[in-house]
Amino acid sequence: MNFEFTKEQELVIQTAREFAETELKPIAAECDLKGTFPMDQYMQMSDMGLIGLPFSTQYGGAGGDYLSYILAVEEISKVDASVGISYSVQTSLCMGAINTYGTEAQKQKYLSALCSQRKIGSFGLTEPNAGTDASGVQTVAVKDGDHYVLNGQKCFITNSPIADIFVIFATIDRNLGTKGITAFIVEKEYEGVSIGKIEDKMGIRASQVGEIILKDCRVPAENMMGKEGRGFGIAMATLDGGRIGVAAQALGIAEGAIDETVKYMKERKQFGKPIYKFQYLAFRMADLKARVEQARYLVYKAAMDKQLGKPYAESAAIAKMVASDCAMYVTTHCVQMLGGYGFIKDYPVERMMRDSKITQIYEGTNEVQRMIISGAMFR
Ligand code: CAA
């Protein structure tokens, strides 16, 4: 087993860390407060090649390895988990699906635009009645000549209000269950695509999450990904990758909270000494650090499973479940360490605690992750 990063991976860590510290840190609190997305900074990430990091140079990507991309998500999320999830959804879910299931023409057109033409991607699976039970997709796709006509409504879709390109799941026949679900690439500019309610959220407030409304939206048949009725498998397999991104986001949040808390504990004096000199508090930090290290190796293991072409559904589920629980636990304790200062917006740990919560919920709740892990155990 090799526990060393490659030179390229070290460079990605350093580049993403410097970018996050200089470009995201100064604005993260304000974007959170106002619920605004740092578009200029996100476009810089595109220009720097971070967005297309794990994709082939043939499609405008940087040709990096998968672990490098996961390390970049982690670094960005240490400072700003909202940008972390926008990046992860675009890369793992939207671009990941097109890269794996798209035709050559779809990759040339859409993956290239997402890698190098500053386009933003989104992934529309969830609906009001298709959350944990993703098979309940009600959005319909009816074949009409060389087009499919899509009608339906997606909800809680990350990046939808700012996206140019959507991967949308619709059914060709509601009676077919998972066997009817089909994947399409849909452009924002297509007639019949609109964005409904934009959500006002507890955490990751700078990321833009909303409804996608499809009303008689005509999608060229050439934009179907895979075959009719194969979309559910595409969604599930793509989400396996997405969960590694969420796990990296959660890991980053936990690490960011520890960094901020250590800094505070060195500065904050009570009873005449910095509070880290109280062994009870220092030991609690040691426990938090140990939890983060446990999560780290699960996240990197899942990323390496994917990178090496091994099965990774189970390791991704474990990494996502453990890292998100770790983020929630660690940030809750970090807020406690800061006392009253942990509860106000002058320090970022308050935001980090709010941001952590969703990592236990999206891309499959942690209960779904347990279904996947136990399902594999008792197959
Ligand atoms: N890869 C490939 N195929 C898969 C698969 C995988 N990981 N998991 C299941 N499948 C296939 C099965 O092989 C099966 O195929 P056959 O019918 O040909 O045998 C088919 O899919 C149905 O499988 P199941 O019967 O296991 O499916 P299910 O209906 O019982 O669902 C579930 C299982 C795990 C609960 C699934 O519905 C699930 O993952 N739910 C959570 C959905 C989710 O994660 N949503 C997140 C939305 S996106 C998001 O959150 C992004 C964001 O904004 C941040």
Side-chain angles (χ1 to χ4, degrees):
M1 248 181 152
N2 186 357
F3 282 92
E4 288 294 313
F5 289 131
T6 62
K7 281 203 176 67
E8 290 77 15
Q9 289 161 351
E10 294 282 7
L11 185 64
V12 167
I13 293 173
Q14 193 192 328
T15 306
R17 186 173 294 168
E18 277 172 23
F19 172 79
E21 287 289 328
T22 56
E23 300 295 329
L24 298 176
K25 199 169 209 169
I27 55 164
E30 192 185 348
C31 288
D32 169 70
L33 193 65
K34 295 183 176 161
T36 51
F37 185 70
M39 187 61 83
D40 290 349
Q41 288 73 9
Y42 195 70
M43 288 301 138
Q44 281 183 55
M45 287 173 64
S46 183
D47 297 344
M48 289 162 71
L50 282 175
I51 304 285
L53 186 54
F55 302 107
S56 165
T57 51
Q58 197 185 340
Y59 306 113
D65 61 20
Y66 192 77
L67 181 58
S68 294
Y69 153 62
I70 286 302
L71 294 167
V73 174
E74 179 189 342
E75 289 303 325
I76 298 293
S77 303
K78 275 186 193 174
V79 170
D80 191 332
S82 291
V83 176
I85 195 60
S86 296
Y87 177 28
S88 175
V89 165
Q90 160 145 0
T91 311
S92 294
L93 298 186
C94 180
M95 298 163 86
I98 298 171
N99 186 51
T100 308
Y101 301 99
T103 61
E104 186 53 33
Q106 289 168 349
K107 287 197 244 186
Q108 289 292 351
K109 183 169 180 187
Y110 294 110
L111 190 56
S112 298
L114 289 156
C115 278
S116 57
Q117 293 161 31
R118 293 181 148 209
K119 297 295 181 199
I120 297 181
S122 183
F123 182 86
L125 174 66
T126 305
E127 299 184 2
N129 290 314
T132 288
D133 181 6
S135 68
V137 163
Q138 295 291 294
T139 296
V140 284
V142 177
K143 186 102 195 269
D144 181 20
D146 55 2
H147 282 73
Y148 284 85
V149 181
L150 269 56
N151 277 286
Q153 187 179 342
K154 300 287 173 182
C155 65
F156 301 153
I157 307 299
T158 301
N159 286 351
S160 61
I162 53 172
D164 305 284
I165 296 160
F166 305 89
V167 170
I168 295 283
F169 295 89
T171 179
I172 50 161
D173 182 344
R174 286 179 181 157
N175 298 315
L176 290 178
T178 58
K179 302 271 187 264
I181 297 174
T182 307
F184 297 92
I185 303 173
V186 176
E187 297 181 27
K188 174 183 74 173
E189 306 301 339
Y190 288 170
E191 212 169 304
V193 179
S194 62
I195 301 305
K197 182 177 171 231
I198 298 175
E199 302 299 344
D200 187 3
K201 311 183 294 311
M202 170 202 276
I204 54 158
R205 289 178 49 75
S207 82
Q208 301 299 302
V209 174
E211 292 174 335
I212 305 170
I213 296 161
L214 298 153
K215 195 162 183 304
D216 297 328
C217 174
R218 292 179 68 79
V219 178
E222 67 202 26
N223 277 27
M224 184 170 71
M225 271 203 299
K227 295 198 166 80
E228 277 193 355
R230 297 287 173 83
F232 191 75
I234 294 177
M236 290 300 108
T238 303
L239 278 164
D240 290 336
R243 287 165 188 153
I244 310 175
V246 173
Q249 181 207 19
L251 174 64
I253 298 172
E255 290 174 293
I258 288 187
D259 291 347
E260 294 293 339
T261 306
V262 166
K263 199 164 78 183
Y264 176 87
M265 289 173 75
K266 287 180 178 168
E267 287 162 5
R268 174 73 171 162
K269 288 193 177 133
Q270 289 289 275
F271 304 102
K273 56 184 179 183
I275 60 170
Y276 78 87
K277 299 233 165 161
F278 293 94
Q279 197 179 49
Y280 170 73
L281 298 183
F283 275 17
R284 202 194 291 173
M285 292 306 290
D287 289 340
L288 299 186
K289 168 89 177 168
R291 276 196 188 230
V292 168
E293 291 307 300
Q294 290 166 26
R296 179 193 310 288
Y297 290 108
L298 293 171
V299 177
Y300 295 173
K301 160 78 167 58
M304 285 309 293
D305 283 349
K306 179 161 164 54
Q307 184 166 311
L308 295 172
K310 297 180 181 176
Y312 58 90
E314 197 185 342
S315 54
I318 293 173
K320 193 273 196 194
M321 181 180 84
V322 172
S324 61
D325 285 348
C326 168
M328 198 66 247
Y329 182 88
V330 165
T331 54
T332 305
H333 279 272
C334 287
V335 165
Q336 187 71 19
M337 292 299 226
L338 270 73
Y341 290 105
F343 197 65
I344 61 172
K345 292 187 187 297
D346 293 10
Y347 290 86
V349 291
E350 171 268 346
R351 166 169 54 88
M352 291 165 168
M353 183 177 162
R354 285 186 286 106
D355 287 349
S356 291
K357 185 60 209 168
I358 191 64
T359 65
Q360 296 176 307
I361 298 172
Y362 56 25
E363 300 202 25
T365 60
N366 282 0
E367 290 73 20
V368 164
Q369 309 314 319
R370 286 178 174 86
M371 285 166 74
I372 293 166
I373 299 161
S374 61
M377 289 171 75
F378 297 108
R379 211 172 0 233

